[in-house]
Amino acid sequence: MKQPIPIFVAIFLSFLLVSCSASSEKEQKAEAESSEKKAQAPDESSQSFVNFIPSIVKIESFDQGRFLESETAFFVGEQEIVCRLSMLDNATAARVTPYDEEKAYAISGYLAVDRINNLALLKVEEIQREPIPLYPGIVPNTAKSIYLTKPQSNTLPLHTGKVLDFSTVSGVKLYRVDNQFRSTLYGTPVFVSNHQCIGLGFAEVVSYENQNMVIPSTYIVDLLAKKSDQPQKLENLRTTTSQAVSEANRKIKGLSIETDLGSIQIRLFDETPQYRDNFIRLVRENYYDSLLVHRVIKGFGIQSGAADTRYAGPEDVVGWKGPGYTLPAHIVPKFFHKRGMIGSPRKPDRGNSKRRSDGSQFYIVTGRVYSDRELDEIEEETGHQFTAVQRREYKITGGAPHIDGTYTIFGEVVSGMDVADRIVKVETDSDFRPLKDIRVKKITILE
């Protein structure tokens, strides 16, 4: 039988437990306060970050004087600032205020953008600052990650965490960290213990969970390498094109798509100016560089331009990510899907009743030859009627008549169909992705 505990022993044990609990709470509180003080005190560690303060700025964007967004950015050149491209959506102007002063300075324009990685390189001509040193490679998992906020009362707050991994998130390679970024701090430089910047911090909801991430510094290095000599107007980043730029695009003779298997020369139709101007803008931004030809269907054609293919691994599911916007359908009756035509893919009618096109992807029709009977069956199934000219073209040269009238056609191949034919014959997996990667190296404008 279990013996009862004497009353004086029970009282003593009760007192001991309460005392230990109170002591533990005090110790934890003291430890937390010590840790917080350590993080914000101007000690040797924080002092080593003080020199970065003048190179970190608050950036604000405006549309014709109307305030849009406010985030954080930083100098990566003496007069060059990097920030998230998304905060410049619809902006006609922007200004920056360095952490070490109250004066705001106007942004002169942009020098380069990376729409896939959400980066913009901006020029500010009124001031010069020391660039923040960029980490040249990929840091290992568990590395300490540090960012700082604006000094308060002569103290420099340092916020520490660690790198969880370097992985593909929403189609791009990013660091995941356990730091916590507020919206006004999106774009803040994130450092490792050797005081080099590993990229820009931000947060985003992924798979219903808030994730804190860093856009790697290696992408900023790439951006600096392809910057233009003169800044371009921020309004040129808009998905709508000014009349002057559109008129200049009309004079462009064509474009050359350089792939791993050869080059394909194309021309864009003036009858679909929004698609023409959008494609040329993305080419000028180097958007298509290194993207995969991710879809190859024998008897139909080849497809590229998906934002999630640049860093895709062999097992990744690709082809679902665009530049962040879609384009309204613009179906011109005289254009049909004969061999060599270029069109814009889109999501199915269910959930896309207006048949809006992907903002960057395109396909080139290699097609096949059809018989009169097959064309009759397509007419009966789709309700789309073929002209005599179209029937003759499909029966002699070939194409993809089954999608006529439902997808926007905006260009055609001028030369290099033999390259498209070689690509369409490669071996693919069950999702029509080539087993061996084929990339668009770059697209060049032929003035």
Side-chain angles (χ1 to χ4, degrees), residues 206-417:
V206 180
S207 300
Y208 307 103
E209 182 181 354
N210 192 60
Q211 303 273 351
N212 291 277
M213 294 170 285
V214 178
I215 304 173
S217 55
T218 52
Y219 302 156
I220 304 173
V221 173
D222 292 341
L223 203 63
L224 285 164
K226 66 181 183 183
K227 67 181 180 181
S228 61
D229 295 330
Q230 297 297 324
Q232 306 296 310
K233 294 180 180 179
L234 293 181
E235 60 193 58
N236 290 346
L237 294 172
R238 291 184 170 190
T239 55
T240 56
T241 307
S242 68
Q243 184 175 350
V245 172
S246 188
E247 284 299 320
N249 288 341
R250 182 186 290 270
K251 299 176 183 178
I252 290 175
K253 295 179 180 179
L255 302 100
S256 177
I257 304 173
E258 183 183 346
T259 77
D260 288 332
L261 297 186
S263 296
I264 303 171
Q265 279 71 49
I266 68 172
R267 76 179 185 94
L268 305 179
F269 297 143
D270 293 330
E271 289 86 345
T272 49
Q274 187 173 2
Y275 283 74
R276 177 200 63 202
D277 296 341
N278 176 70
F279 193 88
I280 291 171
R281 179 176 60 254
L282 294 178
V283 168
R284 293 191 188 281
E285 293 177 3
N286 302 108
Y287 178 93
Y288 292 105
D289 293 4
S290 298
L291 297 188
L292 290 177
V293 177
H294 67 276
R295 199 161 186 246
V296 170
I297 303 177
K298 292 177 176 63
F300 172 70
I302 64 176
Q303 186 171 321
S304 184
D308 54 3
T309 64
R310 181 175 290 168
Y311 311 102
E315 304 302 320
D316 291 338
V317 177
V318 297
W320 55 269
K321 186 177 177 63
Y325 58 86
T326 58
L327 299 175
H330 189 171
I331 298 170
V332 180
K334 72 176 182 179
F335 296 142
F336 59 102
H337 285 88
K338 64 181 179 179
R339 175 177 161 81
M341 294 301 252
I342 301 170
S344 184
R346 61 175 177 81
K347 292 181 178 180
D349 289 355
R350 187 177 68 177
N352 184 23
S353 60
K354 295 185 178 180
R355 295 175 171 172
R356 291 184 68 90
S357 301
D358 185 273
S360 61
Q361 293 192 50
F362 64 94
Y363 56 82
I364 296 176
V365 177
T366 54
R368 68 173 178 86
V369 172
Y370 285 75
S371 67
D372 274 319
R373 181 177 177 179
E374 288 177 309
L375 294 173
D376 291 341
E377 290 173 351
I378 292 173
E379 283 185 338
E380 185 176 348
E381 182 179 342
T382 65
H384 181 80
Q385 301 297 307
F386 302 114
T387 67
V389 172
Q390 291 171 348
R391 276 182 170 268
R392 184 167 59 252
E393 191 73 35
Y394 284 135
K395 289 191 295 181
I396 297 173
T397 307
H402 58 288
I403 57 174
D404 277 350
T406 58
Y407 287 76
T408 298
I409 298 170
F410 65 94
E412 66 178 347
V413 173
V414 175
S415 65
M417 277 303 294

Side-chain angles (χ1 to χ4, degrees), residues 152-163:
Q152 302 290 334
S153 303
N154 296 320
T155 62
L156 177 60
L158 294 182
H159 308 267
T160 62
K162 68 178 179 180
V163 175

